[in-house]
Amino acid sequence: MVIKDKSKKKRLGIFLLLALLLLLGGAVGRKLFFNQTAENSLETEGVSWEGKKETSSKAKPSSIAIPGYDSMTLKAGSLEQAVNFYNPEENDCYFKISLKLPDETTIWASKLIEPGNGLYEIKLEQMVAAGEYENALLEYQCFTFDEKQSELNGSAIKLKLIFQ
């Protein structure tokens, strides 16, 4: 197709440029609209859980089962730790789990963990010296499955952290 009239070429060029801008604008808008903030983005972790499964109470159909611990032994002077953290498969929510020292310093926090998944290994945010830390906290935040990921009831379990 050969267009000889300069004004027709100019109009065609403007039309094509506008069409390209609309396509790019739509793609950018779609990305911004459908992407959520980093706080609520669906970034999960964990593997299908086959480990030890204990909960602090018998979960009722409308409640959330929370694994409980009296104490936990970890390696002193190491960031890499072996753990037994999981979200029981009967739950209808995501978990975010945090491990805190008695002064409430967070030494580890998970991403979202789906029901039936858990973690066997974690990496602490800082090294912890050998010793026993009474009244450390294992915190569970629970979130809905919908796109809002609204926070549900959670739990903070006091436990003794033993670093040896």
Side-chain angles (χ1 to χ4, degrees):
M1 172 166 96
V2 177
I3 301 175
K4 293 186 179 184
D5 187 359
K6 286 185 180 185
S7 65
K8 286 184 180 180
K9 282 184 182 180
K10 189 175 183 179
R11 280 187 277 171
L12 180 62
I14 291 172
F15 174 77
L16 291 174
L17 182 61
L18 287 175
L20 180 62
L21 287 174
L22 281 173
L23 286 173
L24 287 173
V28 169
R30 185 174 23 251
K31 183 162 179 60
L32 291 174
F33 179 77
F34 287 111
N35 279 354
Q36 299 171 345
T37 64
E39 178 69 26
N40 289 333
S41 65
L42 185 59
E43 188 174 344
T44 63
E45 67 179 330
V47 296
S48 181
W49 193 248
E50 300 299 328
K52 187 176 179 183
K53 296 179 180 179
E54 294 180 13
T55 55
S56 60
S57 64
K58 299 285 184 202
K60 297 176 184 161
S62 63
S63 66
I64 300 170
I66 303 286
Y69 303 87
D70 293 325
S71 66
M72 185 177 298
T73 302
L74 301 170
K75 293 186 288 185
S78 176
L79 296 178
E80 307 293 329
Q81 302 291 335
V83 294
N84 185 34
F85 295 144
Y86 68 99
N87 184 352
E89 59 193 32
E90 64 267 19
N91 284 339
D92 288 327
C93 63
Y94 295 112
F95 273 1
K96 279 188 182 178
I97 304 173
S98 301
L99 192 55
K100 297 182 177 186
L101 295 175
D103 67 0
E104 297 197 21
T105 299
T106 300
I107 58 173
W108 173 79
S110 75
K111 297 175 184 166
L112 294 174
I113 302 171
E114 298 178 67
N117 285 356
L119 303 167
Y120 292 105
E121 297 176 0
I122 62 171
K123 185 175 182 179
L124 300 180
E125 295 175 14
Q126 67 183 49
M127 299 251 205
V128 179
E132 293 187 5
Y133 298 82
E134 293 284 343
N135 297 317
L137 291 173
L138 182 60
E139 290 187 346
Y140 292 88
Q141 291 177 280
C142 305
F143 299 89
T144 60
F145 286 135
D146 62 12
E147 58 214 29
K148 291 182 183 179
Q149 294 174 9
S150 302
E151 190 164 359
L152 302 168
N153 289 336
S155 180
I157 299 170
K158 286 187 178 182
L159 73 157
K160 182 194 305 186
L161 281 181
I162 304 164
F163 283 87
Q164 55 185 22

